[in-house]
Amino acid sequence: MFTVYVDADACPVIRIVEKVAKEMKVSVELICDTNHVLVSDYSRVRVIGAGADAVDFALVNLLHAGDVVVTQDYGVAALALGKKAHAIHQSGKIFSDDNIEGLLMDRHLAKKARMGKGKHHLKGPKKRTEEDDIRFENAFRNLLSDILKNESIDESECK
């Protein structure tokens, strides 16, 4: 059975992840740093020492093939895919081997453009809407359903 890992520092979809995972009887681990300590009645919470990318590296080290990671970080998603795990963005976008290189390149080019203009910070994300939550929940539910379906097919083939 797989686990869902959430890059939980400032993640707006934690409650949706927990709701869907609980319905499907899938375990969840929330990974956060000491600046974002969380409490959950369903998930296991792992608090990682603060530091640049500390949560990201801890999360990737915990992942196994077949696990799921919820992250908005393209680098974490790429590392997860490299470990044969599944990755989904808080927008509901599924990261895949087909799209991750382009997303990483877009991120690199955007950063390069900002640095050329002397800008180091982005504007914050637009305000999250109910439609955003619905889109994420549907995509996340479909992802977990597909994984569970494939796991049951794999188990029946072994018998």
Side-chain angles (χ1 to χ4, degrees):
M1 182 58 121
F2 65 95
T3 299
V4 174
Y5 292 93
V6 180
D7 185 353
D9 289 343
C11 179
V13 296
I14 291 170
R15 297 302 161 233
I16 298 169
V17 167
E18 289 182 321
K19 178 182 99 171
V20 173
K22 188 174 186 178
E23 289 171 11
M24 296 185 168
K25 297 176 177 50
V26 174
S27 63
V28 176
E29 294 201 19
L30 306 176
I31 316 300
C32 61
D33 68 22
T34 53
N35 297 316
H36 298 93
V37 178
L38 303 170
V39 176
S40 173
D41 293 332
Y42 182 73
S43 302
R44 176 177 180 187
V45 178
R46 290 186 187 240
V47 180
I48 308 301
D53 301 321
V55 167
D56 298 344
F57 291 124
L59 190 153
V60 170
N61 284 329
L62 291 167
L63 283 175
H64 295 93
D67 286 338
V68 175
V69 63
V70 179
T71 184
Q72 62 182 344
D73 186 310
Y74 295 170
V76 170
L79 292 169
L81 293 172
K83 292 185 87 169
K84 304 295 183 216
H86 306 273
I88 183 171
H89 188 276
Q90 65 192 27
S91 68
K93 180 177 194 64
I94 304 292
F95 295 105
S96 69
D97 291 335
D98 294 332
N99 67 16
I100 195 66
E101 282 187 38
L103 293 169
L104 289 169
M105 181 57 74
D106 290 347
R107 180 181 75 168
H108 170 72
L109 294 174
K111 181 177 182 181
K112 198 171 175 180
R114 280 193 316 276
M115 297 307 256
K117 295 178 181 177
K119 295 181 179 182
H120 299 280
H121 300 286
L122 296 171
K123 288 192 307 186
K126 65 180 182 173
K127 187 168 173 56
R128 192 163 182 87
T129 66
E130 185 177 345
E131 290 80 19
D132 294 328
D133 288 344
I134 292 167
R135 187 172 30 271
F136 173 79
E137 182 173 340
N138 290 337
F140 184 65
R141 186 178 300 280
N142 290 338
L143 176 62
L144 294 190
S145 293
D146 289 348
I147 295 168
L148 289 168
K149 190 181 338 171
N150 288 334
E151 278 188 353
S152 66
I153 290 170
D154 291 344
E155 287 175 10
S156 67
E157 288 175 356
C158 293
K159 293 179 182 177

